Amino acid sequence: MYDYSNVSKDSLELELNTSIDKCKNLIEEIKQKEVIVLENFDEFERQVAEVTGKVAFLSNVHPQKEIRDFGNEAESILENYILDTITDEKLFEQFKKIDTTKFNHESLKYFKSLERDFLDAGHNLDKPSKGRLIEIEKKLIELEISFSKNIADDKSKVLLSLEQLDGLSVEEISNFNKSEEKYVITMAYPDINAVLENCINRSTREVVWKTFNNRAVNTNSSILKEAVVLRNEKANLFGFATWAEYRLQHRMAKNPKNVNQMYSNLIPKLQQSAQNEKEELASDGIEASSIAPWDIRYFITKKRNEVSTVDNSEIKKYFFIHDVKKEMFSICEEVFSIEIKQENSDTAWHEDVELWSIWDQGEELLGYFYLDLHPRDGKYTHAAVMDVSPGNEQKAQLPICSMVANFPNPKIGDGLMTFDEVETLFHEFGHVLHMAIGKSKFSRFIGASVEWDFVEAPSQIMEHWVWKSQCMKRISKHIETGESLEDSICKKLNDSKNIGISLLTLRQVSFGLADQHLHGENFNDSLLDIEKSAQSVTTIDYPTDINHLASFGHLLGGYDAAYYGYLWADIIGDDLFSRFENEGVLSNTVGVDYKNKILSPGGTKSAEELVENFLGRKWNDQAFLLQKNLLN
């Protein structure tokens, strides 16, 4: 394992320069060879991935600002170097010499994927257009890195008195830092979740919600607008009317029309259900028609507490983070015939980070994953699983990834998770399994390297286990008594699962609609107009003094014109889980079949083929509609 514990800016700079020199030598060798083979390009890609995981990755997680800043700088250097490489005309000429006549399916898919990269780099454009394309690409690299950095560096916080935090438990309040007589509410998720779900004081919820949704608004609004304009220009260079059309051509959805069709089918059902939900949720003297966005999670939590007859703060006592993690591993081991072992993490980048290994039935070592689960200043602010190393075919190096999240830290507070956080942990672990178990001859297809609108399906499916009573009892363990949740409470929690689900889903739909708007034909509309248009679908009146798009990291983090993929993959994930519903929630037979037919192939087959192989049919939305109570 790479030793992150003693890195310095100088050592990382040396690592970066040495790796780039190796890559340059590889490319020069390719350009001089008479016989070119695919493995030459795969070796290059593995080298780039390795140095990215050693250096650029640290921009998201390292506790020292100097290292994070250099990680951002390294990411820019690497992306610009890759751009220079893929636009090299002689390299493209050499690539075209590869003999594909005896290729198997996997090799031919890799060849076509590389060919697409070369064409996307402008090799079929005229010289002025290719020159402009390179200018656009370099600027987009710069903008994307700045956008992400500004969100991570945002120091927004709210200072509140004890009275303003009425409704929060003693344990939740003890998790906040204090500044003189005020409690400091940061924009880290544990703080935000505690206030928005439990605070009785409506004005407190409002100020915290608005502060969270206005992060980086001054620094990132102009960056986002510039990126959107440049993307549209790039799409035009390739003959596409919009960035969304260009971006979706190789995704499951194929084009924006199919994305719009998905939304058109679901929105009326969701809106009708949302109106009923608002009537059921409205309380505290607030009319259904007056519900504001900062009321929704509070009302949902309150209603869930009523239905389950257990207060949210009491439910949390059953979900101490290390206990939940341990039992999540146990469930995965049982269902997927794997073994998960803790390894020495002395070489990690922070003392809170853990290192684990995944074994197939305890015999074959498949890969490693880090768990970096708690908030820190400057750290990535959301939850994601990031590649560290793709490994190689000879298994001299195995796949490595890291879950980067912001769950409660037991070293600082009580380490107790909300049920939503438990669900998020399972979701992200679905990505870990995909990355560790996925196999391919080529690094490009290992693990989660699938179509972008399928990549969330193996994580969405994991959320289902959290809600199944036999699993819920296993992952719950009272922090004081050690007892699991009673069957009656599990049933009531399940009864509360879909409380407010249409309102929450419509909020996600609004994110996807804003993304499509930004990358559609009306991309030049103002951010406020785009935000307002997207929010109108929610059936909730939103204020005009916020603009969350500036802190919507997905927009410049790979999900541009693709945020719809969460809902798309949610539909597929529900359909995949239907086999477990029908054949056994903890069925090892179905689990191993899922491992072998969905996770293991990685990106070697199309997502449509993977899903059909597992389900024995084409996927549909019936399981999704049933899960969300939307079937008439």
Side-chain angles (χ1 to χ4, degrees), residues 28-61:
E28 285 307 311
E29 288 177 15
I30 294 172
K31 288 161 68 173
Q32 301 303 321
K33 284 185 176 181
E34 288 295 322
V35 179
I36 313 299
V37 294
L38 278 179
E39 285 73 15
N40 298 145
F41 289 90
D42 182 55
E43 185 180 359
F44 169 75
E45 291 191 325
R46 289 178 191 275
Q47 285 283 351
V48 171
E50 286 292 325
V51 70
T52 299
K54 290 176 179 177
V55 185
F57 164 69
L58 293 179
S59 66
N60 298 293
V61 297

Side-chain angles (χ1 to χ4, degrees), residues 58-183:
L58 293 179
S59 66
N60 298 293
V61 297
H62 203 276
Q64 295 178 26
K65 186 176 186 302
E66 180 185 40
I67 301 297
R68 294 197 304 273
D69 287 347
F70 184 73
N72 281 315
E73 184 182 337
E75 183 177 359
S76 177
I77 291 170
L78 284 166
E79 291 193 17
N80 277 285
Y81 168 65
I82 294 168
L83 177 62
D84 291 341
T85 302
I86 201 68
T87 53
D88 187 314
E89 292 182 7
K90 185 174 181 181
L91 184 64
F92 183 47
E93 291 302 316
Q94 288 290 85
F95 169 78
K96 290 190 291 185
K97 293 179 182 178
I98 295 176
D99 181 6
T100 64
T101 54
K102 296 182 180 180
F103 278 2
N104 62 17
H105 171 80
E106 186 174 347
S107 294
L108 187 59
K109 191 173 191 289
Y110 181 49
F111 175 84
K112 289 182 177 179
S113 181
L114 284 170
E115 183 179 47
R116 190 164 71 231
D117 285 352
F118 277 112
L119 296 180
D120 285 348
H123 285 286
N124 281 359
L125 298 177
D126 59 44
K127 192 170 183 178
S129 296
K130 184 179 179 183
R132 178 55 184 157
L133 174 65
I134 293 172
E135 290 176 358
I136 291 172
E137 294 282 28
K138 287 182 177 293
K139 186 61 179 177
L140 283 172
I141 291 169
E142 175 188 325
L143 295 175
E144 289 163 4
I145 292 172
S146 295
F147 192 84
S148 176
K149 183 177 184 296
N150 289 338
I151 296 172
D153 288 347
D154 187 273
K155 295 295 190 294
S156 298
K157 58 182 179 292
V158 180
L159 300 180
L160 297 168
S161 66
L162 183 61
E163 291 73 22
Q164 290 173 301
L165 293 169
D166 188 20
L168 274 70
S169 67
V170 172
E171 291 84 1
E172 286 166 332
I173 290 174
S174 69
N175 288 334
F176 299 135
N177 290 322
K178 290 192 73 174
S179 177
E180 296 180 355
E181 295 303 311
K182 298 282 188 176
Y183 291 91

Side-chain angles (χ1 to χ4, degrees), residues 46 106 338 358 360 364-368 387 389-393 395 397-401 430-450 458 594-604 610:
R46 289 178 191 275
E106 186 174 347
I338 58 175
I358 296 184
D360 194 2
E364 180 188 1
L365 179 57
L366 299 174
Y368 296 91
D387 280 314
S389 170
N392 57 42
E393 190 183 5
K395 296 190 177 179
Q397 177 69 49
L398 290 163
I400 307 169
C401 64
H431 289 305
V432 170
L433 291 174
H434 203 183
M435 290 182 178
I437 292 173
K439 298 177 182 178
S440 173
K441 177 180 179 181
F442 304 107
S443 63
R444 178 172 295 214
F445 297 146
I446 289 175
S449 301
V450 294
Y594 173 81
K595 178 179 69 173
N596 293 336
K597 292 180 178 177
I598 298 292
L599 300 181
S600 184
T604 60
L610 296 175

